[in-house]
Amino acid sequence: MRYMLPIIVLLLFCSVAEAQTAPLAIAQQATDGQSFSLSIQILVLMTLLTLLPAILLSTSPFVRIIIVLSILRQALGTAQTPPNRVLLGISLFLTFFIMSPVIDEINQLAAQPYIDGQMTATEALQKGIEPLRQFMLSQTRESDLQLFANIAGATNIRSLEQTPLAIIVPSFMVSELKTAFQIGFLIFIPFLVIDLVVSSVLMSMGMMMLSPMLISLPFKIMLFVMVDGWALLLGTLASSFYT
């Protein structure tokens, strides 16, 4: 859990940089300890890349975005439209858009100094994790942090800066789930009202065999298009992380 998405990019830079000075041998250094060969670094990097889906789900806005978009599709009643791949693509690129300030900060604080030889890999990793930690803490409820701190028995935490990632990451995920369902509830209400109105009208006309969903679907799509729903929803999701 400690290896975050931007840190994988940082490690990639680290592998390329160290490959220029230690191409194929394991050398003992007096200050930095052991410097591993390029092949070993590539092996470690490929192993970390297998954890990329879990890292993306655990430390980024991806969970909130994909849940809200899935609830929107269900509220519209459009079955598989937009398809799953479209929703995943929108969620992925909106996640990178939201995380771009954090990634830029990691690049300035950790990646570039390490490439320039101003700090070791361990120092760069510690520096690179800090912006991501601050981002997750800004989106995490204190009640969720307290919950997982109590479960872990961490009673000696006196400030947010002392909170370990083992507590921050699950707290962040629970907070994201809560926020996503709150937003989804607000999205669902107007479409539910349309369904109720259409159903009542059909019942009053005695057309009980006609599916209300079939009649309400074009009205819900028209409402969503008229209010410019995609721009409004995606813009609100992006701005919700920086309020």
Side-chain angles (χ1 to χ4, degrees):
M1 302 294 285
R2 60 178 297 189
Y3 297 102
M4 308 304 171
L5 174 61
I7 306 304
I8 290 183
V9 180
L10 172 62
L11 292 177
L12 177 60
F13 291 145
C14 296
S15 298
V16 175
E18 288 192 0
Q20 298 175 357
T21 57
L24 294 173
I26 298 179
Q28 295 292 333
Q29 296 181 354
T31 57
D32 297 339
Q34 197 176 51
S35 177
F36 294 97
S37 67
L38 175 61
S39 58
I40 295 178
Q41 294 175 24
I42 293 176
L43 178 62
V44 172
L45 179 62
M46 296 303 295
T47 303
L48 293 176
L49 287 177
T50 61
L51 302 175
L52 186 59
I55 294 169
L56 182 62
L57 289 174
S58 304
T59 63
S60 72
F62 185 84
V63 171
R64 183 189 302 189
I65 298 170
I66 192 63
I67 289 178
V68 170
L69 293 181
S70 299
I71 293 177
L72 170 65
R73 185 174 65 180
Q74 187 172 358
L76 285 172
T78 54
Q80 295 299 318
T81 304
N84 291 331
R85 292 185 179 181
V86 173
L87 295 185
L88 288 173
I90 295 174
S91 302
L92 184 62
F93 282 100
L94 187 59
T95 297
F96 283 123
F97 173 78
I98 295 171
M99 293 294 292
S100 58
V102 179
I103 296 175
D104 291 340
E105 187 175 358
I106 292 175
N107 181 59
Q108 294 176 3
L109 294 178
Q112 290 301 324
Y114 179 83
I115 294 175
D116 296 337
Q118 299 175 2
M119 63 176 60
T120 64
T122 302
E123 294 173 344
L125 187 61
Q126 293 174 350
K127 289 285 187 179
I129 288 177
E130 192 58 32
L132 194 60
R133 175 198 293 269
Q134 295 301 323
F135 171 80
M136 288 190 291
L137 286 175
S138 67
Q139 304 299 322
T140 305
R141 294 175 173 85
E142 292 186 5
S143 59
D144 295 326
L145 285 171
Q146 187 64 41
L147 170 65
F148 285 95
N150 292 335
I151 294 175
T155 58
N156 57 345
I157 300 176
R158 298 182 179 179
S159 63
L160 293 178
E161 289 73 16
Q162 297 178 351
T163 307
L165 287 178
I167 294 177
I168 294 177
V169 172
S171 303
F172 171 75
M173 294 185 66
V174 171
S175 293
E176 287 296 284
L177 288 173
K178 289 181 180 178
T179 304
F181 277 96
Q182 289 174 353
I183 297 175
F185 171 78
L186 296 177
I187 292 174
F188 217 107
I189 293 301
F191 298 111
L192 180 61
V193 171
I194 294 177
D195 285 334
L196 291 175
V197 171
V198 171
S199 179
S200 299
V201 172
L202 292 178
M203 289 285 289
S204 64
M205 296 175 62
M207 304 175 65
M208 293 177 292
M209 299 301 294
L210 184 61
S211 174
M213 294 293 295
L214 184 64
I215 305 301
S216 63
L217 178 59
F219 291 100
K220 291 190 288 188
I221 294 178
M222 180 181 66
L223 172 65
F224 191 69
V225 171
M226 288 181 60
V227 300
D228 196 11
W230 287 112
L232 182 62
L233 177 61
L234 297 180
T236 302
L237 279 173
S239 61
S240 67
F241 290 91
Y242 294 99
T243 55

